[in-house]
Amino acid sequence: MSTGSADNTTHDHVDNSADNTTRDVADSLTETIAANDVTDSSVDTDGHTAADTGRAGVILAAGPSSGFPTIEKALAPLDDTPLLAHVTATLAPIVDELIITCRVDQRGAFAEVVDDGCRFVSRPADDHEPRAELQAALDATDATYAAVLPVGMPLLPTGFVELLFAHARTETGAVPSVEGHQRSVPAVVHVRAAAAACVDARQAATTTIPAV
């Protein structure tokens, strides 16, 4: 996984509530690629190979936030514009589709503040684990790579996400390095590799060692 550089301004906008979601995936991406021989093509059920295409933007917006006790974080205003609208504006110029994760009860309010072209993916009702939220979004796209941003990063420059896409072109993904420390969001990930890593990480988290 490649790393790009970011200044302190970008660092200040990292939403730590979403950090563990992408960090766990990023840590296991390389191992998953090696184990599954993931390439830039996919094989359908008939054994035919088809090229992956396009870019997706994934906005993680389903989770709760203790910092916004009276309003949904995604709807909290910044300069009179909801955070969710800021993040969609960051990604829209450089991706082919936008996917927003949400709870079922959030969808109506979220849809009112974004363009009609945005797609909503509900977090699994029986699994509130962050990786399940990310996996649901990745499973919903046919894109090759996806930019993953939490809704709490409203001021990230579009050009910086484009830089991550450039770094990720021949890698399993790209994340920024801030003052020598690798961050996990924003991230650009190879969609199928990241989805596989989500599955592996979730399975590992539920594995227990029997008592003797």
Side-chain angles (χ1 to χ4, degrees):
M1 179 167 287
S2 176
T3 59
S5 61
D7 58 20
N8 288 331
T9 302
T10 302
H11 183 205
D12 289 342
H13 300 307
V14 171
D15 181 354
N16 288 324
S17 68
D19 212 35
N20 289 337
T21 305
T22 321
R23 179 187 299 117
D24 292 338
V25 174
D27 289 345
S28 56
L29 267 178
T30 302
E31 180 178 346
T32 302
I33 292 289
N36 294 287
D37 191 26
V38 177
T39 64
D40 284 335
S41 62
S42 58
V43 179
D44 63 24
T45 55
D46 295 323
H48 301 112
T49 300
D52 289 327
T53 58
R55 293 174 170 182
V58 172
I59 302 172
L60 304 175
S65 174
S66 58
F68 294 84
T70 61
I71 188 174
E72 292 283 0
K73 176 192 276 190
L75 303 178
L78 176 65
D79 295 333
D80 298 321
T81 300
L83 297 185
L84 180 58
H86 279 288
V87 182
T88 59
T90 294
L91 292 174
I94 58 172
V95 299
D96 301 300
E97 62 176 341
L98 281 169
I99 298 172
I100 301 168
T101 64
C102 64
R103 302 189 307 272
V104 173
D105 61 299
Q106 296 171 317
R107 182 174 300 195
F110 287 4
E112 292 182 2
V113 302
V114 298
D115 292 337
D116 292 340
C118 294
R119 296 170 55 200
F120 292 93
V121 173
S122 296
R123 181 178 67 182
D126 59 347
D127 191 345
H128 295 175
E129 210 276 334
R131 283 179 292 257
E133 179 182 349
L134 179 56
Q135 184 184 344
L138 296 174
D139 287 345
T141 181
D142 293 323
T144 307
Y145 285 93
V148 181
L149 273 68
V151 76
M153 298 186 73
L155 301 180
L156 187 71
T158 298
F160 187 75
V161 183
E162 181 65 54
L163 177 65
L164 292 179
F165 270 116
H167 276 278
R169 285 188 63 183
T170 57
E171 305 284 347
T172 56
V175 293
S177 177
V178 182
E179 297 180 348
H181 299 285
Q182 182 173 308
R183 303 297 299 182
S184 53
V185 286
V188 169
V189 297
H190 187 284
V191 169
R192 289 180 296 110
C198 284
V199 172
D200 290 349
R202 292 172 64 196
Q203 290 177 342
T206 59
T207 301
T208 58
I209 300 175
V212 294

